[in-house]
Amino acid sequence: MNSLQKNKPASSSDGLEIYFNQFEQDLSRAKLSEVEITFKKLKFLGLNYDPFANTHSDECHQVLENLGLTIHFQNPYLATNILLRLLDKTEERLNNLKQ
């Protein structure tokens, strides 16, 4: 190993990719009813969560905590992108289960 190489700490984008991978794995093992519930939670966030607002409803906080998204939604510019990616993956899985 080169002595000039340094172990760099995991960045927040690395943590987010780990989250996405784990989310997909969990979806692949989930039953139809569980995927439907997850999809409803994500849709709820899409309709009720404003990433640029200073305060959020208790329901939004609960959903964020339940899905493990609180830390990833700290950057309001990424929150919408993250939510759309999760909705897309969940909807795709839901459609596959219904076929």
Side-chain angles (χ1 to χ4, degrees), residues 32-64:
L32 176 63
S33 61
E34 295 167 328
V35 177
E36 287 176 329
I37 291 170
T38 301
F39 191 63
K40 287 179 184 180
K41 289 177 183 179
L42 292 170
K43 281 180 25 179
F44 175 83
L45 284 178
L47 294 171
N48 298 290
Y49 182 82
D50 178 2
F52 292 97
N54 291 332
T55 59
H56 302 98
S57 70
D58 290 337
E59 292 86 1
C60 285
H61 281 292
Q62 277 185 308
V63 173
L64 289 172

Side-chain angles (χ1 to χ4, degrees), residues 16 19-20 23 38 41-42 45 49 60-75 78-79 81-84 86-87:
L16 185 56
Y19 177 84
F20 281 129
F23 185 84
T38 301
K41 289 177 183 179
L42 292 170
L45 284 178
Y49 182 82
C60 285
H61 281 292
Q62 277 185 308
V63 173
L64 289 172
E65 286 292 323
N66 182 266
L67 295 174
L69 288 170
T70 305
I71 193 165
H72 301 296
F73 270 43
Q74 289 177 350
N75 181 340
L78 289 177
N81 180 283
I82 293 167
L83 183 59
L84 290 173
L86 295 175
L87 276 165

